[in-house]
Amino acid sequence: MTDFRVIDGGITAPLGFKAAGKHVGIKRIKKDMSIVVSDVPAKAAGAYTQNLVKAAHILWDKDITDEGRAIRGLVAVSGNANACTGQRGITDNERMAEELARLIGADKKEVLTAATGIIGLDMPMETVVKGIKELYPDLSYRRESAKNAAAGIITTDTFIKEMALEMNIAGKTVKIGGMAKGSGMVHPNMATVLSFITTDINISQELLKKALIMSVKDTYNMISVDGAMSTNDMALIMANGLAGNAEITEEDEFFEKFCEAVMFINEKFAIDIVHDGEGSQKFIQVDISGGRTTEDARILAKSIVTNDLVKTAMYGEDANWGRIIAAMGGSGGYFDLKKLKMEFKNDKGTLLLMENGEPVPFDENIALDILGEQDIYIKITLGDGEGKARSYGCDLGHEYIRINGEYRSRS
Amino acid sequence: MTDFRVIDGGITAPLGFKAAGKHVGIKRIKKDMSIVVSDVPAKAAGAYTQNLVKAAHILWDKDITDEGRAIRGLVAVSGNANACTGQRGITDNERMAEELARLIGADKKEVLTAATGIIGLDMPMETVVKGIKELYPDLSYRRESAKNAAAGIITTDTFIKEMALEMNIAGKTVKIGGMAKGSGMVHPNMATVLSFITTDINISQELLKKALIMSVKDTYNMISVDGAMSTNDMALIMANGLAGNAEITEEDEFFEKFCEAVMFINEKFAIDIVHDGEGSQKFIQVDISGGRTTEDARILAKSIVTNDLVKTAMYGEDANWGRIIAAMGGSGGYFDLKKLKMEFKNDKGTLLLMENGEPVPFDENIALDILGEQDIYIKITLGDGEGKARSYGCDLGHEYIRINGEYRSRS
């Protein structure tokens, strides 16, 4: 039993957060801009792509959150990534922040920005500025507005991703809301993952950041999106304190509760992202236990879902333990093969494939039963320590080739 | 102009090396065993897979070459990788060495072994031992025997890979011969790369090892075989000194000549391996110059040929600079985007895609011309230093999915 409960809601679920989303003209038809505003200054933290090549908003937001500034709002666009756009892109991004700041009576550095979409294309700034002006009056606390905002940030997602949780922190009701985008498999522009979480909890900026980073490590950093790290990936969290609880300044039971909730949302979003994607047919979850360290377990788990030979085997519904072992062995993560046990599982049953590092005979029919399902769970038990990790990924099949092989870049 | 010349030959080109190869019964029909014997003890060095999971022969050979033992021969089988076969596999491998050693009057630790093929399957030792006995009388210096040996080590290769070079070292004629196997793209059992080089040069064991390791770093370690590091990969070199030159014990001009020749052979084999493979349609070579360090350049070059989004773009003949940049940016190798220039080249011309980190307009027709060819050269000029590196890879298309998705493991 968890200490929180899921409620119907999204980014506007916590107190004092308004949102809006609509089509302003960046895309042809679909919604392409979202704004989120906090009535009062909110503490903010972010986790950003490690890619050396960073979209303009990454640099802007990282500056702001690194300085620990309180923020008032966020403006996000989809259809244009504002990446590889040089100095012009930096200037355009700042202007986007300025425009929303002006309307809500804040400083430009109190406004975070985000973008996802085509890279190397200058932002259509007339459209963007006009769009912010038009969108501003739509800001509201309503459920509908949260949905619109969630739709304004997606690109190749086939469904919007939202969630809200409610919990009790020291006698006060605290809410957490979120929206995310990302299409795990099939994104010609590198499957940008964006995650935005709002909450009315009262917490220190330092612990807010810690809660976010810890959850990102075990969720977005553990999903494979065809091995390509986007130039735009980002996870943000904003906490405005309006729930009125005593400020959380220590890693106590309340902090733990909060971390669990943030983990829950980001894990659900990560799983949604991997499940979403026109090119995939299988959802793969890998659980590693008994790793020498947590880091070893993470490296090993990730290596399995990113390996093409494993992914094609999953597509082909083949119980190929050999490819899994080779992926692990080449990953850099440590394990002693002689202690390794490997099973494929689902609700129907468990298939033991390896024990003490050697293959065991198995029933082909049971294998087909398990591998024939959409969700495949690979459970690997090592004997090297207490390290645990979980990763998520999908198969590699013809649809991936079709969509990514037929994409045409602009010249 | 090089200091060596290519001659017709293979593993038996240098003085004092005999070879043989035939079908003994491990595979159904094709040749599946090769032996190579040196008339006199030869110095040997090896480069071995870094995969934590190592086939039985890797452990055996590494022990021998690490100790700097002189060796007399090599026995290699194809059709069975002798990997993930536990203690039984270790014992079988030793027996294989013992059998050849007995016949050639050597100690078992003077015989190296190799295997490639299906993993997790015990070696059919009756067949193997009988095979060695039958193959032994076929040993000869003849060209035909070298070809047979080159055929006995292949698995999914569509052509055998051999080469021989001749050069003058301090007034003596020195020859180098080699055979290799590996099918860059499409190998359900992880595209094992095996490379065997023989030479009659007189050189210290330490410098022999250095020459091998340096060449492996820039060749086999710079090719992408769908990101999976085999449990069986190995490159061996054996030098028996019969050319009679004064022993090379310093990194002088003769050592340099020798290194160039070893590099030439291994580079040719690496390119052959990438070109070979039923599933690939494009051969990709990436050249990076101006890297902050050589290591940075290597990491960056390798990241491009291993990235699925880049590989599918090549398959789709799309000039997708964005995917290349994102692959580099996520690789861990350093570069300053603002100084980056990217070109696609071939004999017909050069297509400039990026300058100073920003995309430049290009002619779609020229792009199609260049990308329509089988060989695609990507030239990236950085502005961070003097580091250079070259990598090789191939596209990712439907054939890869078909072959690797339809493979059935044994249960």
Side-chain angles (χ1 to χ4, degrees), chain B residues 22 49 80 93 115 119 179 200 252 304 316 327 378 385:
Chain B
K22 67 182 268 183
T49 181
N80 188 310
N93 179 72
I119 80 174
M179 63 184 188
D200 45 32
D252 55 19
I304 295 167
I378 300 172

Side-chain angles (χ1 to χ4, degrees), chain A residues 51 308 316 318 329 398 408-409, chain B residues 51-52 308 316 318 329 398 408-409:
Chain A
N51 198 308
D308 280 355
D318 180 44
H398 287 294
R408 279 287 162 273
S409 320
Chain B
N51 198 309
L52 266 197
D308 280 355
D318 180 43
H398 286 294
R408 278 288 161 272
S409 320

Side-chain angles (χ1 to χ4, degrees), chain A residues 51-53 86 188 190 308-309 312 316 318 320 323 325-326 329-330 333 335 358 362 398 400 404-405 407-409 411, chain B residues 51-53 86 188 190 226 308-309 312 316 318 320 323 325-326 329-330 333 335 358 362 398 400 404-405 407-409 411:
Chain A
N51 198 308
L52 267 198
V53 177
M190 290 148 288
D308 280 355
L309 282 172
T312 43
D318 180 44
N320 203 317
R323 293 182 187 183
I325 289 297
F335 69 101
E358 293 193 43
F362 59 85
H398 287 294
Y400 179 89
N404 283 305
Y407 181 78
R408 279 287 162 273
S409 320
S411 60
Chain B
N51 198 309
L52 266 197
V53 178
M190 291 147 287
D226 55 47
D308 280 355
L309 283 172
T312 43
D318 180 43
N320 204 316
R323 293 183 187 183
I325 289 298
F335 67 100
E358 293 193 44
F362 60 86
H398 286 294
Y400 179 90
N404 284 304
Y407 181 78
R408 278 288 161 272
S409 320
S411 58

Side-chain angles (χ1 to χ4, degrees), chain A residues 7 59 68 85 92 102 217 229 237 250 277-278 291 311 406:
Chain A
I7 58 175
L59 306 162
T85 42
D92 287 347
R102 194 178 59 73
K217 271 191 105 168
M229 189 193 303
I237 189 165
E250 293 186 1
E278 299 159 289
K311 288 155 68 87
E406 288 172 12

Side-chain angles (χ1 to χ4, degrees), chain B residues 129-143:
Chain B
V129 169
K130 186 159 165 288
I132 295 172
K133 285 190 183 111
E134 286 174 4
L135 194 48
Y136 171 72
D138 290 353
L139 279 169
S140 88
Y141 305 107
R142 291 194 319 269
R143 182 77 189 89

